[in-house]
Amino acid sequence: MKKTLILGGKDKHYEVIDFLKGFSITTIVIMHLMQDNITLLPRILHIVSSIGGTGVHVFIFCSGFGLYLSHLHKPKSYFSFLLARMNKLYIPYILVVFIAFLIPVTYTGENRVIALLSHIFLFKMFVPEFEGSFCGQLWFMSTIIQFYLVFIPLCSLKKALKKTSNFMAVTLFISVCYWIMLLLINKTDIRVWSSFFLQYLWEFCFGMVCAEKFFKGEKINLSHSLLLVISVVGIGCQAFMALSSGVLKVFNDIPALFGYGSLALLIYSVGFMNKIILFLSKFSYEWYLTHMLIFTLIYLLAPSTLAGQVILGIFALILSVFIALGYQKLLKKFLKK
């Protein structure tokens, strides 16, 4: 095993990005399974599993990377870009929402029909009551759609600022200002505010910057020792800030991205999980959309023992993979037609 991870270069397909996407979705799914369903686990395991939620930051980074790399290869107009991306994102998402709508246990609020309409017409991203309706993880769809809406303007901003350092400085400044604003207006714990795209703007744009480096054939050399130090310090700082007062918690995105991202790259370097994670990355979006619906239905059985919950959890996890894979194949046939 080499002691240095080399990213970029002349390769046209960046396996490491596929790995990061697959790894982030995998840890998110496992976190949801452990925290929401295997409730009898020791508290320390629930706390440790919460690190999996940090995968959201890496996934946003990968989204910025993938979108900008595609843009560099083949630029599109604003509306042609939106049409292409929304077809791939919106149809699979709304189909899952509609299925969840038909299942009574997925929503306990009074305004069930309006909640469905909030997803269809995308106004849930402005209404706290509906932001996590039907399946809690669907809050993320609002954030991604917001990034789609501003992506082409971000490309124009990057071009206007010319220097990469200027682009990163401006976008990080915007995110920091947004974090401070959330503190001042006391909205840090309200999802429609804390998951607004400005919260994650800097890491999405960081993905764009890395995509440009890779597009130009530049290499990034990362030693394993450096990755280990960053992962330990980053995850440690993230945990401390998340468990402390609301002031520090707002600013934990930076150590979260670099700590979790470095850990993922270190695991990628070792290579023993690569085939599994790269396989899961092929249908990671469909898995993200469907996994909580599967878990909710499976855990209606409500085992009363830890052993029962764990066994059911393993079954639910395997079943969610097969259903996501099948859903992806059905979508391909549908969208092809």
Side-chain angles (χ1 to χ4, degrees):
M1 182 181 68
K2 296 180 179 179
K3 295 183 178 181
T4 301
L5 176 62
I6 302 174
L7 305 176
K10 297 180 180 180
D11 293 336
K12 296 298 181 183
H13 178 73
Y14 305 112
E15 182 184 84
V16 66
I17 299 299
D18 290 336
F19 179 87
L20 288 175
K21 287 192 294 184
F23 184 78
S24 62
I25 295 300
T26 299
T27 61
I28 290 169
V29 169
I30 292 174
M31 179 200 70
H32 286 154
L33 179 64
M34 293 179 67
Q35 292 200 340
D36 300 334
N37 299 285
I38 309 179
T39 56
L40 296 178
L41 281 173
R43 185 172 179 272
I44 185 64
L45 291 181
H46 279 142
I47 294 174
V48 171
S49 70
S50 65
I51 296 173
T54 312
V56 166
H57 301 285
V58 171
F59 193 83
I60 289 174
F61 165 85
C62 292
S63 297
F65 183 101
L67 289 177
Y68 195 59
L69 189 65
S70 177
H71 177 79
L72 290 172
H73 283 291
K74 189 178 180 181
K76 293 182 179 179
S77 67
Y78 184 78
F79 289 106
S80 63
F81 165 79
L82 276 184
L83 182 62
R85 297 311 306 178
M86 292 297 281
N87 277 340
K88 292 182 179 179
L89 178 123
Y90 183 78
I91 293 173
Y93 157 52
I94 290 301
L95 285 174
V96 170
V97 170
F98 188 72
I99 292 170
F101 169 76
L102 297 175
I103 301 172
V105 296
T106 59
Y107 184 73
T108 57
E110 297 179 357
N111 301 310
R112 192 178 190 86
V113 174
I114 298 177
L116 173 64
L117 295 176
S118 75
H119 287 267
I120 294 173
F121 296 107
L122 304 177
F123 63 84
K124 80 176 184 75
M125 64 181 71
F126 306 112
V127 184
E129 179 185 355
F130 303 133
E131 181 66 0
S133 57
F134 299 118
C135 291
Q137 87 282 13
L138 296 179
W139 68 266
F140 186 67
M141 302 310 300
S142 296
T143 307
I144 283 296
I145 290 170
Q146 289 164 10
F147 274 118
Y148 284 175
L149 292 172
V150 301
F151 174 68
I152 298 300
L154 280 175
C155 294
S156 300
L157 175 64
K158 189 177 185 308
K159 186 177 180 180
L161 292 174
K162 297 180 180 179
K163 290 185 178 181
T164 295
S165 57
N166 292 341
F167 180 64
M168 279 308 306
V170 168
T171 54
L172 178 60
F173 178 74
I174 291 172
S175 284
V176 171
C177 287
Y178 185 74
W179 302 341
I180 294 171
M181 186 197 76
L182 289 185
L183 279 173
L184 294 177
I185 63 176
N186 197 27
K187 300 290 186 182
T188 55
D189 294 325
I190 301 176
R191 177 68 78 179
V192 295
W193 289 89
S194 64
S195 64
F196 191 62
F197 82 95
L198 293 178
Q199 175 80 24
Y200 310 106
L201 179 64
W202 74 275
E203 49 200 25
F204 182 87
C205 294
F206 182 47
M208 293 173 62
V209 167
C210 290
E212 184 177 42
K213 284 184 174 293
F214 280 40
F215 181 75
K216 292 178 178 179
E218 298 178 21
K219 293 182 179 180
I220 301 174
N221 298 326
L222 298 170
S223 68
H224 289 180
S225 57
L226 177 63
L227 288 173
L228 180 61
V229 170
I230 295 175
S231 63
V232 171
V233 173
I235 292 174
C237 289
Q238 175 207 357
F240 174 76
M241 295 168 79
L243 295 173
S244 61
S245 65
V247 175
L248 290 178
K249 187 177 179 179
V250 174
F251 296 94
N252 75 350
D253 286 6
I254 294 175
L257 174 64
F258 288 107
Y260 177 99
S262 296
L263 176 62
L265 290 174
L266 202 56
I267 293 172
Y268 174 75
S269 299
V270 175
F272 73 97
M273 292 180 60
N274 289 12
K275 289 185 178 179
I276 296 174
I277 297 298
L278 289 170
F279 169 71
L280 294 173
S281 73
K282 294 178 180 179
F283 52 93
S284 58
Y285 177 55
E286 291 80 9
W287 196 23
Y288 182 82
L289 288 176
T290 58
H291 74 277
M292 284 194 73
L293 180 59
I294 304 304
F295 293 168
T296 299
L297 294 177
I298 292 295
Y299 272 86
L300 288 175
L301 298 173
S304 57
T305 65
L306 175 58
Q309 287 189 354
V310 171
I311 292 170
L312 194 61
I314 294 171
F315 171 75
L317 188 64
I318 295 172
L319 181 63
S320 71
V321 169
F322 280 103
I323 288 178
L325 184 58
Y327 187 47
Q328 184 205 46
K329 291 182 177 180
L330 286 174
L331 286 169
K332 280 185 176 180
K333 290 182 179 180
F334 176 76
L335 292 174
K336 198 172 183 180
K337 292 181 179 179

